[in-house]
Amino acid sequence: MVTIQILCVGKLKEKYLQSACEEYAKRLGAFCRFSITEIAEERLPDAPSEAQIQAALKKEGEHLLSLAQGAAISLCIEGKLLSSPQLAAELERRAVGGASAFTFIIGSSFGLSDEVKEKSALRLSMSPMTFPHQLARVMLCEQIYRAFQINSNGKYHK
């Protein structure tokens, strides 16, 4: 069974978003070992300098990479845009190729360090639009569930 992990910087604060993630986690249990791990966001002043931001991203990145398992997939604005069927095919291709674990990585509001992006097997963009990180987490859970449904010829995707 494939292992899917989502690593996130910051906590999911809204109860309705937590409930949505919990629902997708429950559904995903039929297809994979699924987990979401939150790490603390580095504290920054109200108006951080670029150097302070980069230092925080570096520290967060080191922590994220220490927890990542298998093929890392970073969510970032400059990532590849994939349709739901394309994401399903990408996960299937990698699994058939021997990948047994995938770690999706969502950074802070300042993004991800260059090191995390460079060490990722795939950079993925959800959309050219910008979404709050908390909503992006729910959307990612749904898309992972949809990918498993597509790959198992389930009716959810239709």
Side-chain angles (χ1 to χ4, degrees):
M1 185 175 266
V2 171
T3 298
I4 302 281
Q5 172 182 223
I6 298 177
L7 292 179
C8 311
V9 177
K11 292 212 175 284
L12 198 56
K13 296 172 184 141
E14 303 294 339
K15 184 66 179 156
Y16 69 98
L17 296 174
Q18 290 171 355
S19 294
C21 284
E22 289 165 6
E23 177 62 27
Y24 286 113
K26 184 170 61 175
R27 293 181 187 190
L28 280 162
F31 300 102
C32 64
R33 286 182 294 278
F34 180 78
S35 65
I36 298 174
T37 303
E38 299 174 335
I39 69 161
E41 189 170 359
E42 289 297 308
R43 295 209 181 268
L44 287 168
D46 288 340
S49 69
E50 186 59 30
Q52 290 171 315
I53 292 169
Q54 291 307 313
L57 290 177
K58 182 177 184 336
K59 195 167 182 183
E60 290 168 354
E62 289 168 353
H63 192 183
L64 290 166
L65 289 172
S66 75
L67 297 171
Q69 301 171 354
I73 301 171
S74 294
L75 273 68
C76 51
I77 194 141
E78 69 274 14
K80 190 174 186 179
L81 288 167
L82 298 178
S83 67
S84 297
Q86 287 172 324
L87 177 61
E90 182 71 21
L91 293 176
E92 182 75 8
R93 182 185 68 77
R94 290 177 185 275
V96 168
S100 61
F102 299 93
T103 298
F104 290 84
I105 303 173
I106 302 174
S108 70
S109 58
F110 290 105
L112 291 167
S113 70
D114 289 339
E115 182 183 16
V116 170
K117 294 176 195 177
E118 289 163 8
K119 291 193 175 181
S120 293
L122 175 66
R123 294 179 194 180
L124 180 64
S125 175
M126 297 197 78
S127 168
M129 294 185 281
T130 302
F131 299 104
H133 283 71
Q134 293 188 11
L135 181 57
R137 187 184 312 186
V138 175
M139 292 168 55
L140 177 60
C141 289
E142 192 281 335
Q143 285 300 299
I144 294 168
Y145 176 68
R146 185 176 295 272
F148 277 104
Q149 283 288 334
I150 291 168
N151 288 338
S152 67
N153 296 313
K155 60 183 177 188
Y156 176 81
H157 179 63
K158 299 190 174 23

